[in-house]
Amino acid sequence: MQLSIITNIHNKTNNTMQYDIKCPNGLKLFDPLITQTRPELPKEYLWPKLEENNVILELNEPLIDLSGFYKGDEESTKKAAMLINKACISHGIFQVTNHGVDSDLIREAEDGMEGVFKMPMEKKLRLQRKQGDLCGYSGAHTDRFSKQLPWKETFSFAYDYLHDDHDQIVVDYVKNELGQEFEHLGWVYQKYCEAMKKVSLAIFELLAISLGVERRHYKNFFEDGSSILRCNSYPPCNEPGSTYGTGPHCDPTSLTILHQDQVGGLQVFANNKWHAITPRHGALVINIGDTFMALTNGKYKSCLHRAMVNKDKLRRSLAFFVNPAKDKVVRPPLDLVPTKEGTLCRTYPDFKWSHLLEFTQKHYRADVTTLQHFFLWLPSHFGFTLS
């Protein structure tokens, strides 16, 4: 693939450099090494209302020790469930320690991102994610958006729990897409996904306990689900006060398990203010998404969050997005649905995850009101009435 990149054109009028950076398909190219040399941040990366960044508090989100739960200690499990309940009613985020994921595996998974994001741009663009697809490389999501672009690169791939070749589905994808030399990294990410699946099912069990529903309800619902592992790279930015690494949004997925490095940048909106989520060694960040909020009949809150960039340091993270099987109907257990005069009080109608996935990948940019817009779109698109 031959890149159409025009750089380093001298403008004699104002003694500055002009840059026109484009891919062969006409999309803007996000190459931090080039973009950072521009005298001003390109307008595509500018975001409004960044004055909100001035006062940032640290969120006092709970740090939950999972060791007692794994050992079957009922008192520790009860305490963990109570902390989760309080956090998810308030803002939808908490951190877990003693989660059972080997620290060396996490380190290898984090370190492995360097080789991915340092690949030549020509190779990255051969992996560029297609519109509506979840897997592949993305630079600033230019495959989806034309303005308010996020200052980041991502590489994503699927992990289906019941796929015929799930024992090496990630290995095969990484090796086939990146090359034979990345086979070892494929095994690292395969094992990482397997470990994240185990953590997610444990969290779903604790979530059920915290909500007072049958202990295995959510665990059973997600056992045949699918997930996406996304590697995120947030390069330094010369104007960090003008853009986001990821803009404010709620994840449309069910549960996100995040490993972040020690640079910091994740922020959550709680009590009408933005709060920083401080990185903690050995901890994983758990946040609730829109689909799980619907599975609780709105009792638990989908986490509104964003990622900031800084001028000096590269930040990286690994996000494991947990989803149900695409044909599963998203419906809360009756224990969470009150009745009024004999009528069930549902906050959200039934829907399939595949429909919400299509909506957010092809028709709508996820924000804090994704579900509201989704339910307006759904009947007209699929030709039925919500009830």
Side-chain angles (χ1 to χ4, degrees), residues 47 144-145 148 230 246-253 290 302 304-305 356 359-371 373:
W47 287 70
R144 297 188 60 199
F145 312 123
Q148 294 181 16
R230 176 166 296 166
T246 303
H249 71 289
C250 296
D251 293 336
T253 50
D290 287 343
S302 186
L304 176 58
H305 59 287
L356 180 57
F359 179 65
T360 54
Q361 291 302 306
K362 297 182 179 180
H363 304 284
Y364 192 79
R365 186 172 188 166
D367 59 17
V368 71
T369 60
T370 299
L371 284 185
H373 286 90

Side-chain angles (χ1 to χ4, degrees), residues 320-335:
F320 188 76
F321 300 105
V322 186
N323 309 300
K326 289 183 178 180
D327 61 348
K328 282 282 183 74
V329 175
V330 176
R331 177 189 300 134
L334 288 177
D335 292 347

Side-chain angles (χ1 to χ4, degrees), residues 124-316:
K124 289 180 185 177
L125 292 181
R126 284 202 296 268
L127 308 172
Q128 192 166 29
R129 160 175 114 175
K130 296 177 176 63
Q131 188 175 16
D133 199 356
L134 289 169
C135 300
Y137 168 82
S138 174
H141 292 343
T142 59
D143 54 308
R144 297 188 60 199
F145 312 123
S146 59
K147 62 181 181 179
Q148 294 181 16
L149 299 178
W151 192 264
K152 69 175 178 179
E153 296 179 281
T154 67
F155 179 63
S156 310
F157 43 87
Y159 176 71
D160 294 323
Y161 294 178
L162 296 184
H163 190 279
D164 290 341
D165 298 318
H166 73 278
D167 287 343
Q168 61 179 64
I169 182 174
V170 175
V171 181
D172 291 342
Y173 181 82
V174 172
K175 185 172 62 174
N176 291 338
E177 295 299 315
L178 302 186
Q180 186 70 38
E181 66 271 26
F182 284 90
E183 181 175 7
H184 175 71
L185 184 62
W187 281 111
V188 170
Y189 285 143
Q190 176 77 38
K191 292 175 183 176
Y192 187 86
C193 286
E194 292 167 358
M196 290 298 109
K197 176 188 175 182
K198 291 179 182 178
V199 173
S200 73
L201 295 178
I203 296 298
F204 283 128
E205 192 169 341
L206 278 168
L207 285 165
I209 296 169
S210 74
L211 285 160
V213 302
E214 197 280 317
R215 184 171 182 143
R216 290 186 58 89
H217 177 84
Y218 293 119
K219 184 177 180 179
N220 291 340
F221 186 81
F222 285 94
E223 273 183 332
D224 60 348
S226 63
S227 296
I228 294 290
L229 181 61
R230 176 166 296 166
C231 305
N232 297 305
S233 179
Y234 303 91
C237 177
N238 290 334
E239 296 183 50
S242 299
T243 190
Y244 288 120
T246 303
H249 71 289
C250 296
D251 293 336
T253 50
S254 296
L255 197 72
T256 303
I257 305 177
L258 181 77
H259 163 69
Q260 57 175 339
D261 62 17
Q262 298 301 302
V263 173
L266 176 62
Q267 297 177 355
V268 168
F269 195 70
N271 302 316
N272 295 315
K273 294 180 180 178
W274 284 103
H275 298 258
I277 302 297
T278 302
R280 308 191 194 192
H281 282 286
L284 294 170
V285 179
I286 313 292
N287 75 260
I288 301 299
D290 287 343
T291 300
F292 193 78
M293 179 169 65
L295 283 167
T296 70
N297 201 38
K299 184 171 182 178
Y300 279 0
K301 193 171 183 178
S302 186
C303 177
L304 176 58
H305 59 287
R306 65 188 185 186
M308 311 304 293
V309 292
N310 66 78
K311 196 170 185 177
D312 304 311
K313 294 182 179 180
L314 169 72
R315 175 178 180 259
R316 287 187 176 141

